[in-house]
Amino acid sequence: NETMLAIIDGDVFKSSTRNQPWWDDRADRIGIPEPIPYLVEDDPQLVARWAAVEDASDYGSAQTPAGELRYLAVPLKNPAGQTEGVFVVADFRDLEKQEVDGAVRSAAQISVTTLIIGLVLFYALSGRILNRVEAVRWTAQRITDSDMTRRLPVEGNDEISQLAATFNDLLDRLSEAFSTQRSFIDDAGHELRTPITIIRGHLELMGDDPNERRETVALVTDELDRMTRMVEDLLMLAKAQRPDFLNLTAVDVKELTDELNTKVRGLAIREWGLDGSGVGIIESDRQRLTQAVMQLAQNAVQHTNDRDRIWIGSKVANDEARFWVRDTGPGISKEEQERIFNRFARAKSQRRASDGMGLGLALVKAIAEGHNGRVRLLSAEGQGSTFTIIIPIDQPYTDPEEPSR
């Protein structure tokens, strides 16, 4: 869209629009642009205007059959200051505008096409995503505390599928928590109803006889003590979920084991034995560990007679401390081992010497898990049982500012 020419003595000397550029003889070999549609050197008015340029450059525009022409005419002077010719550079703006307009139209067409395709894809993808999000909302609306069986379908491995899987896991945990809570409330209500009924019945039938009144008071007091123990155990199980459940200190395992060996011998007449003492210092709650081991020993006493043997022991190895109670009692069946650590669960035993409330092993489990540990049971019917509390030597640091577990 550009042309250049020189005017000397009023005549056009050379033009870049004819054949090849006058400044480059290699144009034949490298190729030249297509000729412009209008040759300005053939326009006498323009040539005359540019030839009249003497002292100062002339910048302006003119209308041609090819459209608007913008030009710059510069006088060429010799060392004496005399003008010997004019050099002109001219540009066809309309032709350049046509090229720009064509490029803009092409870009606009491509942009519109891309936008339409993008909108179609976005509509299809967003519809799919929104449908699955709507499924999550629909399922969540229909979940109640009495019906938590609904689950979301998990398809693929994208973010929505991961959200659905996480949502299903949450529902599983909530369902299990609600089920445990309902069972706990039902069992607690049943366990508390029995002593309340006994107390009410005896108080209603209590007469004026002093001996009868003493017997009734003793019986009512015993039932009230049993209810008090149950409430205290339930409160401790609830407290096990709080961060202040344990009072961690440095505990000597051998010293604690010897102390436990002395205490358990006062529970009942049994063939007591020491199975070994671990050597080492652990970070734990001494009172809670004592409570857990004593509970295991009491549990062993309840399922044995005075001819059975009961051992306690401890060991420190592989960054873990182990405390166990082993007996020669009747053992526990595989079916009962699955439920024996649940609240209010009782093992069936012909030798059972107590009508406990079934909270003891649940407390042992809570204490072990409070120490970031676990309880392991090895038992078989007719071969006795071994309960082992396994806890890490060092407890992980927990920030007191963090919410409770």
Side-chain angles (χ1 to χ4, degrees):
N1 304 320
E2 187 179 75
T3 183
M4 291 174 282
L5 68 154
I7 302 174
I8 300 176
D9 295 332
D11 296 325
V12 176
F13 178 71
K14 280 287 180 97
S15 171
S16 65
T17 60
R18 295 184 184 275
N19 297 325
Q20 66 183 41
W22 52 269
W23 65 87
D24 192 350
D25 293 336
R26 296 174 301 164
D28 291 336
R29 288 183 283 110
I30 65 175
I32 60 174
E34 295 182 1
I36 57 178
Y38 182 71
L39 302 178
V40 294
E41 57 268 33
D42 294 337
D43 190 323
Q45 294 182 349
L46 287 176
V47 173
R49 181 189 300 180
W50 295 332
V53 174
E54 290 288 341
D55 298 325
S57 299
D58 180 17
Y59 176 77
S61 62
Q63 293 296 327
T64 69
E68 182 184 7
L69 179 73
R70 294 285 183 90
Y71 65 85
L72 175 63
V74 181
L76 304 177
K77 298 182 179 182
N78 58 22
Q82 298 173 342
T83 300
E84 295 187 352
V86 179
F87 180 75
V88 181
V89 178
D91 179 56
F92 290 90
R93 300 300 298 273
D94 289 347
L95 297 178
E96 184 177 357
K97 183 179 179 183
Q98 290 176 6
E99 291 184 358
V100 173
D101 290 344
V104 171
R105 282 193 300 271
S106 299
Q109 292 173 354
I110 294 174
S111 299
V112 171
T113 302
T114 303
L115 179 61
I116 293 174
I117 295 175
L119 289 175
V120 171
L121 293 176
F122 175 77
Y123 179 79
L125 293 176
S126 62
R128 180 179 175 217
I129 293 174
L130 291 177
N131 287 338
R132 298 173 70 180
V133 173
E134 177 64 18
V136 175
R137 186 193 65 81
W138 184 87
T139 303
Q141 283 185 338
R142 283 155 180 78
I143 292 175
T144 63
D145 57 354
S146 60
D147 181 14
M148 301 188 67
T149 59
R150 297 181 182 274
R151 295 295 184 270
L152 295 176
V154 179
E155 301 175 356
N157 194 31
D158 56 9
E159 288 77 5
I160 300 297
S161 299
Q162 294 175 7
L163 174 62
T166 303
F167 189 78
N168 289 340
D169 291 340
L170 173 63
L171 291 179
D172 291 338
R173 293 194 298 271
L174 288 177
S175 179
E176 181 179 358
F178 283 140
S179 177
T180 302
Q181 184 183 51
R182 282 193 295 268
S183 299
F184 174 75
I185 293 174
D186 293 341
D187 292 340
H190 174 74
E191 295 293 332
L192 290 174
R193 188 183 300 114
T194 301
I196 291 174
T197 302
I198 294 174
I199 292 172
R200 179 185 294 274
H202 282 80
L203 289 178
E204 290 176 350
L205 297 176
M206 185 174 61
D208 296 330
D209 182 62
N211 293 329
E212 181 182 349
R213 293 175 67 90
R214 281 195 298 271
E215 292 177 358
T216 301
V217 170
L219 187 147
V220 169
T221 301
D222 183 68
E223 290 298 319
L224 289 175
D225 290 341
R226 192 160 73 94
M227 291 176 62
T228 301
R229 290 195 305 272
M230 182 187 301
V231 172
E232 289 176 351
D233 289 344
L234 291 175
L235 290 176
M236 200 192 86
L237 285 173
K239 188 178 179 181
Q241 306 300 320
R242 293 166 45 183
D244 58 347
F245 175 58
L246 300 178
N247 181 21
L248 298 176
T249 58
V251 177
D252 187 303
V253 174
K254 185 178 187 308
E255 180 181 325
L256 177 61
T257 305
D258 293 340
E259 180 181 311
L260 290 170
N261 183 42
T262 302
K263 289 182 177 180
V264 297
R265 296 175 183 273
L267 294 176
I269 298 176
R270 296 289 187 275
E271 293 291 333
W272 295 98
L274 182 62
D275 229 2
S277 297
V279 178
I281 304 297
I282 63 174
E283 185 180 11
S284 65
D285 188 320
R286 185 186 189 92
Q287 293 183 353
R288 295 297 188 198
L289 276 182
T290 300
Q291 181 182 6
V293 175
M294 292 298 292
Q295 180 61 56
L296 292 177
Q298 179 65 38
N299 202 61
V301 168
Q302 293 174 0
H303 293 83
T304 56
N305 54 44
D306 55 6
R307 294 185 300 275
D308 286 312
R309 300 201 63 183
I310 303 176
W311 296 267
I312 70 168
S314 65
K315 182 179 180 180
V316 178
N318 301 322
D319 295 327
E320 289 182 337
R322 298 170 180 253
F323 298 86
W324 64 84
V325 175
R326 180 165 60 93
D327 63 61
T328 58
I332 304 171
S333 65
K334 289 292 184 181
E335 294 76 13
E336 290 181 334
Q337 291 181 31
E338 298 295 329
R339 52 178 289 276
I340 198 172
F341 291 98
N342 296 335
R343 299 172 182 179
F344 300 109
R346 299 181 180 88
K348 298 178 182 178
S349 171
Q350 295 179 350
R351 304 184 187 180
R352 185 176 179 86
S354 171
D355 58 348
M357 296 164 289
L359 293 174
L361 292 180
L363 292 172
V364 174
K365 180 182 178 183
I367 292 172
E369 292 179 348
H371 284 85
N372 297 287
R374 62 194 185 279
V375 181
R376 187 178 66 180
L377 169 60
L378 296 177
S379 182
E381 291 186 274
Q383 299 181 16
S385 303
T386 301
F387 289 86
T388 305
I389 300 173
I390 305 172
I391 62 174
I393 293 178
D394 296 318
Q395 296 299 316
Y397 171 77
T398 56
D399 190 346
E401 298 297 328
E402 293 182 354
S404 61
R405 291 175 291 145

